Amino acid sequence: MESAKEIWERALGELQIQINKANYTTWLRNSQGISCQDAIFVVGVPNIFIAEWLSKRLYSLVEKTLANIIGKDINVQFVVHNQDQLQASPLATSNQTDGGTSSKARLDKFNPRYTFDNFVVGDCNRLAYAAATEVAENPGRTYNPLFIHSSAGQGKTHLLHAIGRRAASSGLRVAYTSAEQFTNEFVLAIKRKQVEDFRGKFRNLQLLLFDDIQFIANKKQTLQCFLHTFSSLHNNNSQIIITADCPPKDIPLLSSKLRSRLEWGLVVSIQPPDFETRLSILRAKPRRTITPELEGILRLVAEKMHENVRQLEGAWAYLTAHAKLSGAELTPQIVNKLLTTTSNNQDKSSIVQTVAQYFDLPAEELVGRKRDRRISLARQIVMYLMREESNYSFTEIGKELGNRNHATILHGYKNIVNEINVNRKLYDQISEIKEQINSIKVSARKHYNV
Ligand code: ADP
Ligand code: MG
C-alpha cells in the first residue's frame, strides 16, 4: 500500500498535466499528502488562502484524480500544514555529519528566509527579538533557558532559525528540533533499542533550539527524556531556547520540576502584531517602490489581517498571486472582495440578523440611533463579531451599522473585548451567538457548494 505522500505525488504528476503551469505553481507545488484514512484524504498546504482556493476551485478535479489512483471514492480535505515541521532531522546536527568543515552544511538546515535581518521588530516582539539576538551572540551566558511563547504564526520558529543560523555561522554546534520530531525520533529509538544513541546526539551540543514544547506536554516518557537532555545541556552551560504556545505555567500536565526549570532563565512573549508592525511587515514585501496607491493597499491589508503574521503573509501571497494570474492591478475593491470569502459575504447581514433575533430586537434598531442599554449592547456585540468572526475593518463595520465612524466602532469593539474577560454571562451569550452564526455559515456553504 502506498503512503499518502506517494499517492499525492502521483496525483500531482497528473494534475500538473491537467491545469496550467501558473496555477499549478501557485496553488499546488508546495502541497503534500498527509494522510489517507476512512475515505478522507488530507492534503497539507502552506496557508489558509491556498486551502480555500483549492477547496473552491479545484476540489472536484483533485477528488477525481485521487479516486482514480486509489481506486475508490474519496473525500479531500485541504489543511494548513507548517512546512518547518518537515525540516531537517535533529539528528543531523551541525558539525557532526561533516566534522565541522563545511559551513554550508551547517547552515543548510535553517530556513534562509528566517533571519534576524528579515524579522520586523515592533512593540509586540521587541523583547523577544532582543533576547534572541543576545543568546545567539552570547550563548549560555545570560538567559538560560530562553523561553519564547505566543499564539500561532507570530514568529517563534522564525526567531529560532535566526538564532540557529547566527550561532552556527560562528562555528557553534547547534541543533533545531520541533517537539514533534523529537517525539517521533525518540519513539523510533525505543523501538530499535537505541535510546542511548538518541540521547548521545544531543550531548555535545552548544545550543539547542526546541520548538513547540507544548506538543510533548502529555507524553510522559518523552518528557522524561527531554528533562534528561535539558539537565545535561544546562549543566554544561549549553544554551537552550524553547518555544511554546503559552507560558510554562499554563502548559498542562507538566511536572513542577520541569516547569520550574523552564522558568529558570527568561520567559518572554510575542504579542499579536500591532497595526504599525503589520504595515512594516507588508512594506518589506513588494520588490518595487511603494507608490501612494500601493501604500493604500498595504494599509488596507494590514487593517484587515490582524490576527498573526502568518495570516498576513498568506493574504499578501494570495493577493499577489491573484494579481499576477488575472493580470489586473490590485485595487481596494479587489482586495476587499478577495479577503472576504464567499460565506462572509452573507455575514454582515446575517450577523446583524442573528444578534437581533437573539436579543429579540428588530434588526433596524441595531443599525439605527437609539441608545438604550439593550440595543447598545447588542450593537456592540455585532461590532465585535464582525471583527472577530469575519475580519471586517472598523470602517466597513461602521458603514454597515448606519454609517458610524471608525472611532465609535473601535470603542464598541474594545468594550466587548474587555467585558468578555470579566463577564461570564456575556461570554456565554456571545458563544451561543457565534454557534448560531457558524451554523448559518455552514449551511450557506453547502447551499452554494463552496
Ligand atoms: P510561529 O512559529 O510563532 O507559529 P512562524 O515563525 O512560523 O510563527 O512565523 C509565521 C510566518 O510569519 C513566517 O513566514 C515568518 O517569517 C513570518 N513572521 C513572523 N513574525 C515576523 C516578523 N516580526 N517579521 C517578519 N516576518 C515575520
Ligand atoms: Mg512555529
Side-chain angles (χ1 to χ4, degrees):
M1 174 94 186
E2 279 175 302
S3 69
K5 193 163 168 264
E6 289 160 343
I7 295 174
W8 185 242
E9 263 154 30
R10 274 174 60 187
L12 281 181
E14 293 183 17
L15 288 165
Q16 200 167 4
I17 305 167
Q18 300 179 64
I19 61 177
N20 73 37
K21 192 164 167 229
N23 270 333
Y24 180 82
T25 319
T26 312
W27 309 110
L28 283 170
R29 197 180 50 192
N30 291 323
S31 60
Q32 50 203 301
I34 293 188
S35 66
C36 177
Q37 239 177 14
D38 305 328
I40 297 178
F41 194 97
V42 179
V43 178
V45 296
N47 66 55
I48 182 75
F49 293 99
I50 294 184
E52 285 195 3
W53 194 93
L54 288 170
S55 330
K56 275 188 213 156
R57 312 283 182 88
L58 274 194
Y59 187 89
S60 56
L61 182 65
V62 170
E63 189 184 38
K64 251 187 252 153
T65 309
L66 279 172
N68 270 338
I69 294 173
I70 298 168
K72 62 174 189 208
D73 280 349
I74 189 105
N75 286 307
V76 186
Q77 259 179 20
F78 297 99
V79 301
V80 178
H81 192 76
N82 190 350
Q83 306 242 332
D84 306 326
Q85 288 164 4
L86 304 172
Q87 289 205 344
S89 138
L91 302 188
T93 54
S94 62
N95 286 12
Q96 295 189 336
T97 42
D98 64 353
T101 49
S102 150
S103 64
K104 185 173 177 309
R106 261 204 313 266
L107 299 176
D108 259 0
K109 63 177 180 288
F110 299 111
N111 186 327
R113 241 178 18 88
Y114 291 177
T115 59
F116 283 124
D117 285 346
N118 289 341
F119 192 84
V120 174
V121 183
D123 288 343
C124 55
N125 57 28
R126 198 177 308 279
L127 201 55
Y129 175 83
T133 49
E134 174 64 29
V135 294
E137 277 154 22
N138 295 309
R141 279 198 255 144
T142 36
Y143 324 112
N144 203 11
L146 170 62
F147 190 101
I148 306 174
H149 65 93
S150 78
S151 55
Q154 315 287 25
K156 299 183 295 295
T157 301
H158 186 136
L159 281 181
L160 285 191
H161 279 244
I163 297 169
R165 173 172 290 273
R166 185 160 294 176
S169 64
S170 47
L172 294 181
R173 290 185 302 275
V174 180
Y176 166 91
T177 180
S178 70
E180 188 174 3
Q181 277 176 2
F182 184 86
T183 309
N184 293 343
E185 303 200 8
F186 174 60
V187 170
L188 199 68
I190 294 182
K191 252 193 218 151
R192 295 187 178 156
K193 303 199 173 20
Q194 293 170 344
V195 174
E196 271 318 300
D197 291 352
F198 175 73
R199 288 208 180 122
K201 309 274 185 196
F202 293 91
R203 198 164 295 142
N204 292 318
L205 288 175
Q206 289 163 303
L207 194 142
L208 172 65
L209 304 153
F210 199 83
D211 211 355
D212 288 321
I213 195 173
Q214 76 278 356
F215 182 84
I216 56 171
N218 54 359
K219 301 186 173 59
K220 235 175 157 184
Q221 268 187 303
T222 314
L223 271 175
Q224 198 60 39
C225 176
F226 174 74
L227 186 60
H228 221 270
T229 306
F230 180 100
S231 305
S232 68
L233 287 175
H234 200 272
N235 287 340
N236 286 338
N237 271 338
S238 301
Q239 178 71 47
I240 304 162
I241 301 119
I242 297 164
T243 71
D245 63 359
C246 60
K249 67 177 173 40
D250 295 340
I251 303 179
L253 306 172
L254 222 52
S255 71
S256 53
K257 190 167 172 189
L258 181 54
R259 181 165 301 154
S260 82
R261 282 180 195 206
L262 295 179
E263 288 168 344
W264 267 348
L266 179 70
V267 176
V268 287
S269 72
I270 305 180
Q271 297 300 319
D274 45 88
F275 178 78
E276 284 307 321
T277 310
R278 301 201 295 274
L279 190 56
S280 308
I281 289 171
L282 288 176
R283 281 194 186 127
K285 302 266 167 211
R287 277 189 225 109
R288 57 185 168 111
T289 19
I290 298 185
T291 57
E293 290 76 33
L294 182 54
E295 172 77 10
I297 298 285
L298 299 178
R299 285 181 166 267
L300 180 61
V301 179
E303 202 194 328
K304 284 170 105 59
M305 299 288 125
H306 53 87
E307 268 165 42
N308 63 56
V309 184
R310 186 175 296 134
Q311 180 209 41
L312 186 68
E313 290 195 323
W316 185 249
Y318 173 62
L319 292 172
T320 46
H322 185 276
K324 206 163 154 195
L325 292 175
S326 67
E329 282 281 323
L330 289 174
T331 61
Q333 290 74 20
I334 295 185
V335 171
N336 275 322
K337 189 165 145 246
L338 292 178
L339 296 187
T340 310
T341 58
T342 326
S343 56
N344 283 354
N345 276 335
Q346 336 260 310
D347 268 353
K348 280 199 211 130
S349 64
S350 81
I351 290 176
V352 177
Q353 292 294 342
T354 315
V355 174
Q357 236 170 39
Y358 187 90
F359 287 100
D360 208 10
L361 291 165
E364 305 82 70
E365 300 277 30
L366 300 189
V367 181
R369 299 278 139 191
K370 273 198 203 156
R371 303 184 61 170
D372 77 56
R373 264 191 59 207
R374 218 154 61 100
I375 296 177
S376 297
L377 176 70
R379 195 178 287 135
Q380 292 191 342
I381 292 178
V382 171
M383 297 172 190
Y384 172 83
L385 289 170
M386 282 187 179
R387 181 68 180 180
E388 290 288 308
E389 294 289 283
S390 305
N391 246 327
Y392 288 112
S393 71
F394 292 124
T395 317
E396 285 171 302
I397 300 172
K399 252 192 220 149
E400 189 68 20
L401 290 178
N403 276 330
R404 290 182 152 78
N405 67 26
H406 183 278
T408 309
I409 307 297
L410 182 63
H411 170 80
Y413 168 79
K414 281 202 173 148
N415 197 26
I416 299 291
V417 170
N418 293 335
E419 190 63 15
I420 216 169
N421 283 324
V422 289
N423 181 339
R424 180 75 210 195
K425 183 168 163 227
L426 181 68
Y427 177 86
D428 289 340
Q429 286 178 326
I430 291 183
S431 307
E432 267 179 62
I433 300 173
K434 267 192 197 165
E435 260 171 43
Q436 293 178 7
I437 291 172
N438 286 326
S439 67
I440 294 172
K441 268 195 204 168
V442 170
S443 57
R445 216 173 275 149
K446 278 194 189 130
H447 182 71
Y448 289 96
N449 206 11
V450 290

